[in-house]
């Protein structure tokens, strides 16, 4: 009898308790369509040993779909395809056209490729929205490369959400297809790919490279990062980030040529035959530390600044500094002028074309690993309609973002990219 009375009272207490309203993390399904057009040029192609055209164009399209599973959980699917055409990679086999030349694209299959990626992520927020967990799974593939990755993160907000700390980690298990320069494949036993006897060699006519195939096809990357964000003032927010990355396995690119200064040069037409491919250590450790400071000056202008210092055990250290100044010109339109500065030291193993020695253990003529300074100028415009009045079927258009960036190094390399983003929300 007493037990029955306790259950009845307890049940009635629960029914009478006021229900606490909990705002959904994501109110409705959101769809982002992102696209970009990228082009670059330069005279230091790694495929042809640090000399030759770096001309490349790339077109990318990506869909990001974020779906609320309930009040607390979000599932996000990110899928994209990138299609590029490259004068540099076409010269993996430069001898399939009329005239082989490092500054001229060949017509081979390697001149273009497709890269495809799909990433799924799941995010859960606690009832008070102060704890956020997420996990993700990613797969990407192209002609000679496959990548599988997984990761997760945890974010904690406290001090009335004025302070935020986070930790995240990722693991990527990748594999190469060992695609060597065409003239080295015969030395690797692939006699059907290239027969030197079918070509007229000039310069050193006794072309007999001592080529040792790479050992293994796997590349593994492990990263962990820590973040801290603090609202310093009602108009100022600052954040700090610390990241560590460890890589091991095949870190050399199989089709990037190297020319030795102590070996006589051999040519077919205008193209110099490889003495070897780049050789790099099978391990690399990277660390980066950076910070952001965002200052809301007034209702029109915001100042966003960023700095990062990077270092690795290959001898590269770099500094990155950027500033972006969003200017709100109307309730719906905002302009985004920006500037980014970057410099780095050269890797210990970087050798400009024709300077590596055959007795060296490691060498590369990839100018991405050289010493350089770069400047990037950008400009963007965004349109935002919080009410999403414009519609495509059941989806309202919430925002449009258009941006352009021009990037120039103090070498011959330069690039530009145009990006566009469209955000839709489901009614």
């Amino acid at each position: 009898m007493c037990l029955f009375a306790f259950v009845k009272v307890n049940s009635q207490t629960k029914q009478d308790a006021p229900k606490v309203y909990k705002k959904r993390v994501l109110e409705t399904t959101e769809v982002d369509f992102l696209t970009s057009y990228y082009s670059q040029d330069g005279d230091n192609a790694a495929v042809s040993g640090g000399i030759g055209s770096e001309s490349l164009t790339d077109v990318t399209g990506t869909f990001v779909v974020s779906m609320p599973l309930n009040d607390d959980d979000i599932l996000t699917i990110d899928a994209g395809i990138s299609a590029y055409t490259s004068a540099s990679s076409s010269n993996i086999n430069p001898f399939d056209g009329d005239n082989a030349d490092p500054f001229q694209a060949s017509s081979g299959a390697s001149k273009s490729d497709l890269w495809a990626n799909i990433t799924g992520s799941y995010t859960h927020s606690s009832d008070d929205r102060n704890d956020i967990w997420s996990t993700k799974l990613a797969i990407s593939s192209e002609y000679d490369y496959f990548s599988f990755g997984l990761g997760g993160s945890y974010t904690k907000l406290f001090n009335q959400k004025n302070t935020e700390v986070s930790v995240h980690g990722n693991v990527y298990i990748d594999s190469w297809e060992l695609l060597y320069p065409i003239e080295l494949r015969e030395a690797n036993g692939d006699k059907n790919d290239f027969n030197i006897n079918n070509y007229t060699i000039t310069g050193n006519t006794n072309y007999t490279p001592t080529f040792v195939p790479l050992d293994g096809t796997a590349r593994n990357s492990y990263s962990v990062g820590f973040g801290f964000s603090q609202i310093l003032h009602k108009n100022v927010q600052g954040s700090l980030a610390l990241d560590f990355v460890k890589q091991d396995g095949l870190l050399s690119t199989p089709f990037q040529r190297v020319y030795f200064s102590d070996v006589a040069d051999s040519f077919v037409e205008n193209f110099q035959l490889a003495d070897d491919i780049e050789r790099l250590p099978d391990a690399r450790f990277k660390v980066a530390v950076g910070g952001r400071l965002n200052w809301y000056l007034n209702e029109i202008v915001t100042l966003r600044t960023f700095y990062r210092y990077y270092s690795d055990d290959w001898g590269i250290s770099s500094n990155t500094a950027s500033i972006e100044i969003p200017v709100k010109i109307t309730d719906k339109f905002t302009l985004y002028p920006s500037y980014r500065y970057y410099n780095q030291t050269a890797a210990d193993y970087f050798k400009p074309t024709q300077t590596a020695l055959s007795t060296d253990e490691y060498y590369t003529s990839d100018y991405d690993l050289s010493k350089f300074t770069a400047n990037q100028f950008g400009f963007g415009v965004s349109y935002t309609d919080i009410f999403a009045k414009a519609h495509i079927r059941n989806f309202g258009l919430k925002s449009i973002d258009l941006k352009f960036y021009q990037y120039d190094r103090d070498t011959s390399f330069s690039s530009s990219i145009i990006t566009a983003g469209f955000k839709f929300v489901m009614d």
Side-chain angles (χ1 to χ4, degrees):
M1 184 69 179
C2 291
L3 178 61
F4 174 76
F6 171 78
V7 171
K8 183 176 180 180
V9 171
N10 187 53
S11 175
Q12 186 175 358
T13 301
K14 288 184 177 181
Q15 292 175 2
D16 293 341
K19 292 183 178 180
V20 178
Y21 173 74
K22 181 169 62 175
K23 181 177 175 61
R24 292 168 66 92
V25 177
L26 183 66
E27 291 295 334
T28 186
T29 297
E30 296 183 351
V31 177
D32 290 272
F33 173 67
L34 312 172
T35 185
S36 67
Y37 175 80
Y38 171 85
S39 65
Q40 68 173 48
D41 207 352
D43 300 327
N44 301 115
V47 172
S48 44
I51 185 170
S53 174
E54 296 178 84
S55 177
L56 179 148
T57 59
D58 179 274
V59 178
T60 301
T62 302
F63 279 98
V64 181
V65 182
S66 300
M67 299 171 287
L69 302 179
N70 50 48
D71 288 349
D72 306 322
D73 302 318
I74 301 172
L75 176 65
T76 302
I77 304 297
D78 181 333
I81 293 179
S82 173
Y84 75 81
T85 300
S86 169
S88 175
S89 66
S90 74
N91 282 323
I92 295 173
N93 177 13
F95 309 117
D96 54 3
D98 295 332
N99 183 39
D101 189 298
F103 290 96
Q104 179 176 314
S106 73
S107 58
S110 58
K111 71 177 181 180
S112 60
D113 197 5
L114 281 175
W115 173 87
N117 169 79
I118 184 167
T119 301
S121 61
Y122 168 80
T123 303
H124 172 78
S125 297
S126 62
D127 287 340
D128 59 9
R129 306 299 185 241
N130 288 330
D131 298 273
I132 305 170
W133 297 266
S134 71
T135 184
K136 71 175 183 179
L137 180 67
I139 297 174
S140 63
S141 178
E142 55 187 312
Y143 176 69
D144 63 335
Y145 203 82
F146 179 82
S147 176
F148 171 81
L150 53 89
S153 68
Y154 170 69
T155 301
K156 176 69 175 180
L157 292 86
F158 51 95
N159 188 24
Q160 295 182 330
K161 295 183 170 57
N162 289 321
T163 306
E164 177 182 311
V165 294
S166 63
V167 59
H168 60 85
N170 296 285
V171 176
Y172 287 92
I173 309 298
D174 305 340
S175 62
W176 285 92
E177 179 180 341
L178 298 181
L179 187 65
Y180 298 116
I182 192 70
E183 65 270 32
L184 296 178
R185 297 181 195 177
E186 186 174 15
N188 191 40
D190 301 327
K191 298 185 181 299
N192 293 329
D193 285 339
F194 183 80
N195 186 345
I196 197 68
N197 296 321
N198 294 334
Y199 299 88
T200 300
I201 298 178
T202 58
N204 175 23
T205 58
N206 184 29
Y207 178 65
T208 53
T210 303
F211 176 69
V212 178
L214 293 169
D215 183 20
T217 62
R219 170 185 290 180
N220 303 323
S221 302
Y222 314 92
S223 67
V224 61
F226 305 90
F228 172 79
S229 176
Q230 176 66 48
I231 296 178
L232 304 171
H233 179 269
K234 65 178 182 179
N235 294 339
V236 181
Q237 181 188 38
S239 64
L240 297 171
L242 178 63
D243 293 283
F244 302 95
V245 179
K246 177 71 170 66
Q247 292 182 296
D248 59 49
L250 180 54
L251 305 185
S252 304
T253 303
F255 48 76
Q256 294 189 168
R257 293 174 175 86
V258 170
Y259 302 126
F260 297 138
S261 62
D262 57 346
V263 174
D265 300 338
S266 300
F267 295 85
V268 168
E269 298 172 347
N270 294 327
F271 200 93
Q272 185 174 347
L273 302 178
D275 293 324
D276 198 6
I277 60 172
E278 74 171 13
R279 307 279 177 173
L280 294 169
D282 60 3
R284 189 178 187 183
F285 181 74
K286 311 175 185 181
V287 59
V289 58
R292 296 181 183 274
L293 187 66
N294 298 332
W295 186 8
Y296 178 81
L297 297 177
N298 51 49
E299 293 182 353
I300 298 176
V301 180
T302 302
L303 188 67
R304 298 174 180 171
T305 62
F306 170 77
Y307 172 78
R308 184 186 68 174
Y309 174 78
Y310 164 92
S311 180
D312 65 31
D313 57 1
W314 284 9
I316 293 179
S317 61
S318 70
N319 297 277
T320 305
S322 69
I323 182 171
E324 183 180 60
I325 308 175
V327 179
K328 190 171 184 179
I329 56 175
T330 72
D331 290 341
K332 294 185 177 181
F333 288 93
T334 303
L335 304 181
Y336 291 89
S338 65
Y339 170 72
R340 178 179 178 269
Y341 172 83
Y342 177 84
N343 69 12
Q344 73 171 40
T345 60
D348 296 336
Y349 319 112
F350 173 73
K351 308 289 183 180
T353 184
Q354 300 276 147
T355 62
L357 297 173
S358 59
T359 54
D360 291 336
E361 182 180 8
Y362 300 118
Y363 35 76
T364 178
S365 293
D366 185 347
Y367 274 70
D368 286 344
L369 300 179
S370 70
K371 177 183 178 180
F372 66 86
T373 297
N375 295 279
Q376 177 179 280
F377 295 90
F379 185 79
V381 58
S382 72
Y383 165 84
T384 303
D385 180 3
I386 60 173
F387 299 108
K389 294 180 180 178
H391 278 71
I392 297 179
R393 293 185 180 273
N394 294 329
F395 288 90
L397 177 61
K398 190 172 183 179
S399 65
I400 301 175
D401 291 282
L402 301 173
K403 292 186 178 181
F404 172 80
Y405 298 97
Q406 176 64 42
Y407 173 87
D408 295 286
R409 295 181 185 174
D410 57 0
T411 62
S412 63
F413 184 90
S414 65
S415 68
S416 60
I417 185 171
I418 300 172
T419 67
F422 305 86
K423 178 183 285 292
F424 298 88
V425 293
M426 180 179 287
D427 291 338

